[in-house]
Amino acid sequence: ENRILIAQQLDAMTDMMEEWVRGSACLDKKYRMQLARIQFEGKERGLTADQVHVFQDENGHLYIRGMVCTKWGGAVPVKNYIRAVSDAMGQNFCAAKDTRALVTRMPEEIVLYEEARYFVLPGIAAKKKDDSVMSGDSFLTRTMDGGRYVAAISDGMGSGIAANRESEMVVELLDKFLEAGFRKET
């Protein structure tokens, strides 16, 4: 069983590497007017945006990568760049989750994703088995970059402390896989 699991993990890593090599579709030619407008809108907000490119992911959603810094030093909120891109593209964009709040004189890559049309407001309710110390179930909810949302439930481990530990390990492993970029099929 362990060999099969390891083989599946290696297959998943191979899939990830192949996906990275293929990359996303670059749409710079299609959006060249908007890219020029991003430069202009950025300058109006005290920013310099270089090497800005428009990409489309496997789900057809747009994302934009660019090297951004301030024109005159100091610090400018990233939301100014987000507004510049959104105005230039004619639709709303949001920053990747690990993006810094301020743009400084040092150029830094900023990735913006097409804003999702919907959002999820999760809620949970849990109850342990009557004669048990604790529930053996665990769950995960996670907002991903690009507007994707993941919800997972680990059930069927039994009840009690040992079942809860195993269930939490499964959910934590899934969370780490998602963070590392594993695809949903994996």
Side-chain angles (χ1 to χ4, degrees):
E1 287 178 353
N2 286 340
R3 287 183 191 147
I4 291 170
L5 285 173
I6 290 171
Q8 289 172 343
Q9 289 175 354
L10 290 173
D11 286 342
M13 291 183 70
T14 302
D15 290 342
M16 281 176 51
M17 288 183 212
E18 286 176 356
E19 192 172 298
W20 288 332
V21 169
R22 277 193 307 270
S24 298
C26 183
L27 304 175
D28 287 356
K29 288 182 183 177
K30 180 178 178 182
Y31 289 98
R32 67 176 183 261
M33 293 298 291
Q34 289 89 339
L35 288 170
R37 189 145 182 243
I38 289 171
Q39 300 278 334
F40 175 77
E41 293 286 342
K43 285 181 183 174
E44 291 289 309
R45 291 170 170 84
L47 299 166
T48 301
D50 291 321
Q51 302 171 29
V52 180
H53 302 285
V54 180
F55 297 96
Q56 187 173 36
D57 68 14
E58 66 274 0
N59 297 318
H61 297 114
L62 298 179
Y63 67 96
I64 296 174
R65 291 181 170 277
M67 296 300 288
V68 183
C69 64
T70 59
K71 278 174 61 174
W72 303 292
V76 175
V78 168
K79 66 183 177 181
N80 288 7
Y81 178 62
I82 295 170
R83 276 194 224 116
V85 170
S86 296
D87 289 349
M89 296 295 291
Q91 65 187 80
N92 291 332
F93 280 80
C94 58
K97 65 178 176 176
D98 295 332
T99 303
R100 293 171 44 177
L102 295 173
V103 177
T104 63
R105 186 73 181 136
M106 182 65 76
E108 183 173 343
E109 183 179 55
I110 297 179
V111 180
L112 302 181
Y113 292 93
E114 186 177 348
E115 196 169 79
R117 293 186 182 125
Y118 303 99
F119 68 93
V120 177
L121 183 59
I124 61 159
K127 184 176 181 188
K128 64 183 175 80
K129 201 173 186 178
D130 290 336
D131 59 344
S132 181
V133 178
M134 68 175 26
S135 171
D137 304 336
S138 294
F139 69 95
L140 162 72
T141 59
R142 181 183 246 274
T143 302
M144 308 289 287
D145 283 334
R148 293 174 294 157
Y149 188 82
V150 175
I153 299 172
S154 175
D155 189 6
M157 302 286 189
S159 60
I161 296 171
N164 182 269
R165 268 193 233 122
E166 286 182 26
S167 180
E168 283 183 354
M169 283 186 347
V170 169
V171 169
E172 286 175 13
L173 182 61
L174 176 62
D175 192 32
K176 287 182 172 91
F177 280 164
L178 292 170
E179 193 175 306
F182 280 72
R183 295 180 5 212
K184 63 184 175 184
E185 293 82 12
T186 307

